[in-house]
Amino acid sequence: MSLANEFTKGIIRENPLFRLLLGMCPALAVTTSVDNGLGMGVAFSVVLLASNIVISAMRSIIPNSVRIPAYIVIVATFVTMIDLLMHAFTPALYTALGIFIPLIVVNCIILGRAEAFSGKNPVIPSIMDALGMGVGFTLALVLVSAFREVLGAGTFFGQTILPENIPAIMMILPPGGFITLGCLLAILNKIQKKTA
Amino acid sequence: MQEYFIIIISAVFINNIVLSQFLGICPFMGVSKKLSASIGMGGAVSFVLVVAGFITWALNTYLLTPLGIGYLQTIAFILVIASLVQFVEMVIKKFSPSLYKALGIYLPLITTNCAVLGVAIINIQKEFSLGKVMVHSLSHAAGFTLALVLMSGIRERLEDADIPESMRGVPIALIVAALMSISFLGFSGLI
Amino acid sequence: MRDIFKLSLFLLVVAGISGAGLSYVNSLATPLIAEQIRQNKIDSFKEVYPQSDKVENESAVYLKDAHDPALKEVNIAYRGGMPAGVLYAVETKGYSGTISILAGFDIADSRITAIKVLSQTETPGLGAKAKDRFFQDRYKDKNTTLPLEVTKTAPVKDNQIQAITASTITSKAVTKGVNAAREHFNATFGAGKKQ
């Protein structure tokens, strides 16, 4: 029961992007197409999962006073590994995400989970926590990028679905990112008020 | 000389770090409610950004590249930035308690500000010389402060505006950022 | 004091382990990355100059006294041991940043075989269309005698290139880059100058 709870909380109730407002930089920058949004979400989830496992396994031997630098080193190691592997195996995605791959290291969600969860909990719940947060963040990125790609380029996963003259290029330019995220947050607020 | 001018215009206006590169959104949203706070944050980030730009460049040029361990770049840079922030915090605390009071709460936040790491990585990617690294970092710092100060000016007024309840707070701030970003789009094509 | 020593030792061990792990992953990934960059280059070469046995970078020979900073690389395409085509890598300033282009020329016919935009940062949906096939095809088979010009309407002369709608600056930038290559090509490999 509680394990399932650790998993589901990240998807809706504590969704890192929509509810905790963390990780906004990549959510705005790479969501110009669903491909990129999904790729970023997966890369992020892998790093979060790996660092959550390691940090949770080492939680009893990491001295409290140097835990933050230790977390940073662990997270940065996994980020660099993902960076190298993506460069080798998914070159197109690597070019599209560019600087935002190394910047996963300063994504507040990962350090936040280390500080709030995996640094205090056993490995299994930490895995569930990472999976939930990863899926939640990925879904959020896909949602934002689906709006932007459909409205801005008239395509979905690269397939044209709207006629040539409908899409507003603005939506895949920087302002479109701010508008989409702003509106989605407002809509979610509204829904939450109704259900609450 | 012209090259430097292009770097400045491009970093401050065209590729504004917040409004078009999406770096440093967290402090941009978090600390832009009050004008005074945003100036403090802008100052603190600018300082760290420029010093970190210099140190990471030196580290990359004299240590990582000669040793052929460029793949340790991310890990080395983030450690430099984290220790730099700690160090700055200690120095300011010791020598200027009043400045520490003004900046203190923002300093720890800067470690996870992607603008600092982002600019450091861009500096290396573009293979800038030391002079260009300094100009580039300074311009991005200025661009960050500019966006933050403009934003807080608008948000102070938004406090009194009648906004639909579900739009209040971050959603409306994002819409404001979108409008600012549209006006900054007008700068592209300037060079 | 002992505490500080212990803490630093701990961090050092963590950093050491992560460094070792990284250098292992790096040693695995580096050859793959290099191979993939090489393959990419070969594919681009094939795209702009299809009929060649091998392509050699001979920038050292041909760019020794070239003064145009737009020219970045000169690659010679060989067919049956003889130079048959020239592939130029050029860089030019577009609307919002550098555009790098690969342009192929055929020596025998003095014509452009094809061009390919390798990288660009132009506005998505507008200038970014420069990397789309339809625009690059407008340069195909152009004669190299006259400088290429950009027009906003359908071209009537052979040396005219129709601009991308609403992206004249980008179109002009690409054309400028191709023209830089064209001039060097004419001066070095044009009629009567064949090696």
Coordinates of all heavy atoms in Angstrom, one line a residue, chain A residues 37 58 70 108 117 138 145 147 151 165 176 189:
Chain A
G37 N 10.6 16.5 -25.5 CA 10.1 16.5 -24.1 C 10.2 15.1 -23.5 O 10.6 14.9 -22.4
M58 N 23.7 4.5 0.4 CA 24.8 5.0 1.2 C 24.4 5.9 2.3 O 25.2 6.6 3.0 CB 25.7 5.9 0.2 CG 26.5 5.0 -0.7 SD 27.4 6.1 -1.9 CE 28.5 6.9 -0.8
A70 N 28.4 15.6 -1.3 CA 28.4 14.2 -1.7 C 27.3 13.9 -2.7 O 27.5 13.3 -3.7 CB 28.3 13.3 -0.5
C108 N 16.5 21.1 -9.6 CA 16.2 21.1 -8.2 C 15.5 19.9 -7.8 O 15.6 19.5 -6.6 CB 15.4 22.3 -7.8 SG 15.6 23.8 -8.8
F117 N 13.9 12.7 0.5 CA 13.5 11.3 0.6 C 14.6 10.3 0.6 O 14.7 9.6 1.6 CB 12.5 11.0 -0.6 CG 11.7 9.8 -0.4 CD1 10.4 9.9 0.1 CD2 12.2 8.6 -0.7 CE1 9.7 8.8 0.3 CE2 11.4 7.4 -0.5 CZ 10.2 7.6 0.0
T138 N 8.1 13.3 -16.5 CA 8.0 13.0 -17.9 C 6.6 13.3 -18.5 O 6.5 13.9 -19.6 CB 8.4 11.5 -18.2 OG1 9.6 11.3 -17.5 CG2 8.5 11.2 -19.6
S145 N 4.8 19.8 -24.1 CA 5.3 19.8 -25.4 C 4.3 19.4 -26.4 O 4.3 19.8 -27.6 CB 6.6 18.8 -25.5 OG 6.2 17.6 -25.1
F147 N 1.1 20.3 -26.3 CA 0.4 21.6 -26.6 C 1.2 22.4 -27.6 O 0.7 23.0 -28.6 CB 0.2 22.4 -25.3 CG -1.1 22.0 -24.7 CD1 -1.2 21.1 -23.6 CD2 -2.3 22.7 -25.1 CE1 -2.4 20.8 -23.0 CE2 -3.5 22.4 -24.5 CZ -3.6 21.4 -23.4
L151 N 0.1 23.1 -31.5 CA -0.3 24.5 -31.8 C 0.8 25.3 -32.5 O 0.4 26.2 -33.3 CB -0.6 25.3 -30.4 CG -1.8 24.7 -29.7 CD1 -2.0 25.5 -28.4 CD2 -3.1 24.8 -30.5
N165 N -1.7 26.5 -42.6 CA -1.9 27.9 -42.2 C -2.4 28.0 -40.8 O -2.6 29.1 -40.3 CB -2.8 28.6 -43.2 CG -4.1 27.9 -43.4 OD1 -4.3 26.8 -42.9 ND2 -5.0 28.5 -44.1
G176 N 6.0 31.0 -26.3 CA 5.0 29.9 -26.2 C 5.2 29.0 -25.0 O 4.2 28.5 -24.5
N189 N -5.0 24.6 -11.3 CA -5.4 25.2 -10.1 C -7.0 25.2 -10.0 O -7.5 24.9 -9.0 CB -5.0 26.7 -10.0 CG -3.6 26.9 -9.5 OD1 -3.0 25.9 -8.9 ND2 -3.0 28.0 -9.7

